Amino acid sequence: MESTSVRMGFMIDVAGYGRRSARAKTDVQQRVSALVTEVLRDQGLRLDQTYHHGTGDGMVVFLPGEIEVHRALVRLLRCATEVLAEDNQRYQDRMRLRMAVVIGPIGPAAIGFSGDAIVEAGRLVDSDTLRAAHGADLAVLISAQLYEHTVREGHAGLRHTDFRPVEVQAKEYTRQAWLWHGQPRPAAAPAAEPTTYTLAAAGGPACVIGIRPGRILRVHDMQIWVNSENTDMEMARFNEFSISSIIRYHGALRDAAGHVVDDVIAGELSRAVGGHRPVAPGAAFVTGPGALVGTHGVRRIIHVAAVQGEPGAGFRQIRHVGACVANALALAERLAADDPAIRFILFPMLGAGMAGASVTQTATELVAAAADHLESTPGSLLHGIRFLAYADAERVALGEALRGNPLLTPAP
């Protein structure tokens, strides 16, 4: 039997579970299981690598003791929010979750697990404080000890302004905890509207331009992913929440605890750029996909210089961000000619995330560059160009850009 170790863990409870019918309860259990699987996949873990058990109306999961808790907490909060929002767009039965995240000693016992951490998680998730939290489909309390280890230490991706202290009383438990309020409730699903477009002129390529809503880690059918980089072509740190960070971490080779043992994509990009930093705005470089080939079916990553640093101002979107699309698509055509399996390419909203550029203007420029490419490349080998819409504002902006582009018409 394994010994007791200090681990970070979370407990999930479904609000209103007891009021559902037997059929609805079964469906909700399956949805919670799928959510937990996706959350763990985002951590680079499988369920069988954790301490876990079901609770009837939820689940308890403790991660391996070797993980970096600050990185794991960022990914847990973001991923759980995103996956729940996507789930609720697919089902009429809206699922609201209470989550407690804790850290402490835990180990296997005769009928489950033992340790103060699992007791604390149960008290937090069942507290009146968490039950009274309103305004979001995911209400989260983190323990005071975990807050001290992560948020108060100032780790990247964890802002103290996203948490507020609360007093929690449940049975004999009376302690301070921290209520997370970093994500607003997602907007209702939009009304049906065209999301794919082709060239309006006859005789053009059959390639379809469209929107892919949601998280990039939910995408498994795009052979080329485009990575938004800076003009130094230095990928983001693993614990940041950006496309560059996601591609770097999930493309790396990792051990059982999620630690990177071979920074595959960043290393290959560094060798491709060589001593030519900084590169020209809009420049594009190709690397392999690292581990993403096995997990997401990606065959190539195209890195584009979409942002550049300015002293005292951080990173800003380059002046002509459409050049990134033009250069990436030119490379994609050559890759498609060499590899018949490459037919689809995925673009994020280049420079509209961490760099803070206008979402509306960015969408207009990206779509225009894609339409121009198809107009000037009648023999395009690409079957699809997709733009990733992580947030509702991006989806709306891309939809308006597609509808407003004179070269495009809704796909049949």
Side-chain angles (χ1 to χ4, degrees):
M1 181 176 290
E2 295 183 52
S3 61
T4 297
S5 59
V6 175
R7 295 176 174 231
M8 188 188 94
F10 60 92
M11 182 178 290
I12 291 177
D13 185 72
V14 179
Y17 180 84
R19 296 192 297 271
R20 289 174 163 88
S21 66
R23 173 69 179 273
K25 289 177 180 176
T26 300
D27 290 343
V28 163
Q29 287 182 352
Q30 292 173 342
R31 292 163 65 185
V32 169
S33 176
L35 181 143
V36 169
T37 298
E38 191 67 23
V39 164
L40 292 177
R41 183 181 292 128
D42 193 58
Q43 303 277 358
L45 296 170
R46 302 185 310 273
L47 187 62
D48 61 12
Q49 295 174 298
T50 69
Y51 287 164
H52 63 275
H53 66 77
T55 61
D57 58 351
M59 203 164 184
V60 180
V61 179
F62 277 83
L63 307 182
E66 300 85 358
I67 66 161
E68 299 173 277
V69 294
H70 59 278
R71 179 178 61 80
L73 180 59
V74 172
R75 293 185 181 278
L76 171 64
L77 296 176
R78 303 289 186 182
C79 185
T81 301
E82 295 156 15
V83 175
L84 180 58
E86 293 167 7
D87 175 273
N88 278 332
Q89 287 186 351
R90 293 195 299 270
Y91 293 91
Q92 290 184 339
D93 180 8
R94 192 167 198 90
M95 187 165 64
R96 297 187 69 246
L97 299 179
R98 295 185 292 268
M99 177 187 287
V101 193
V102 300
I103 189 170
I106 185 172
I111 56 172
F113 304 108
S114 65
D116 292 342
I118 195 166
V119 175
E120 182 173 34
R123 297 295 183 261
L124 291 176
V125 84
D126 198 41
S127 66
D128 291 339
T129 302
L130 197 55
R131 291 178 181 276
H134 297 295
D137 288 336
L138 178 67
V140 183
L141 275 176
I142 73 168
S143 68
Q145 186 177 9
L146 182 58
Y147 182 90
E148 293 295 326
H149 283 312
T150 55
V151 183
R152 194 177 295 282
E153 289 292 323
H155 289 291
L158 294 168
R159 299 178 300 180
H160 68 89
T161 53
D162 287 343
F163 299 82
R164 66 178 175 86
V166 293
E167 191 75 15
V168 177
Q169 294 182 339
K171 297 184 179 179
E172 75 286 355
Y173 181 95
T174 302
R175 293 183 191 174
Q176 185 184 69
W178 293 82
L179 185 67
W180 182 65
H181 53 88
Q183 289 285 347
R185 178 171 177 161
E193 60 184 28
T195 57
T196 54
Y197 288 73
T198 58
L199 283 181
C207 181
V208 175
I209 303 176
I211 302 171
R212 174 58 64 87
R215 301 184 308 119
I216 193 169
L217 289 176
R218 304 280 285 187
V219 177
H220 292 82
D221 57 352
M222 299 281 127
Q223 296 84 43
I224 298 175
W225 284 8
V226 176
N227 175 33
S228 179
E229 273 306 336
N230 52 70
T231 50
D232 285 330
M233 283 289 155
E234 294 179 346
M235 299 189 77
R237 295 173 297 178
F238 295 127
N239 60 355
E240 294 181 13
F241 196 75
S242 65
I243 292 295
S244 178
S245 174
I246 290 170
I247 289 175
R248 182 179 184 181
Y249 179 74
H250 288 276
L253 299 182
R254 306 183 299 277
D255 62 19
H259 295 137
V260 172
V261 295
D262 188 352
D263 197 359
V264 179
I265 297 177
E268 189 174 344
L269 178 60
S270 180
R271 292 189 294 273
V273 176
H276 302 294
R277 293 184 175 93
V279 302
F285 295 84
V286 180
T287 68
L292 289 167
V293 66
T295 58
H296 290 76
V298 183
R299 300 180 75 87
R300 294 291 186 275
I301 305 292
I302 297 180
H303 308 261
V304 294
V307 301
Q308 57 189 139
E310 296 183 9
F315 286 103
R316 301 278 182 89
Q317 186 186 67
I318 65 172
R319 183 171 299 179
H320 301 295
V321 73
C324 295
V325 175
N327 292 335
L329 289 174
L331 279 177
E333 295 288 358
R334 294 201 288 272
L335 294 171
D338 293 336
D339 185 349
I342 292 178
R343 290 295 180 262
F344 289 86
I345 184 170
L346 179 72
F347 287 90
M349 290 287 282
L350 304 171
M354 301 293 286
S358 164
V359 171
T360 300
Q361 183 62 31
T362 298
T364 300
E365 291 190 39
L366 300 187
V367 167
D372 289 344
H373 172 81
L374 293 184
E375 185 183 42
S376 63
T377 316
S380 175
L381 296 174
L382 298 176
H383 293 174
I385 300 169
R386 297 292 186 270
F387 292 102
L388 186 71
Y390 168 70
D392 281 342
E394 295 172 346
R395 176 191 55 77
V396 171
L398 285 166
E400 291 175 350
L402 288 165
R403 289 191 300 273
N405 190 291
L407 297 178
L408 301 176
T409 190

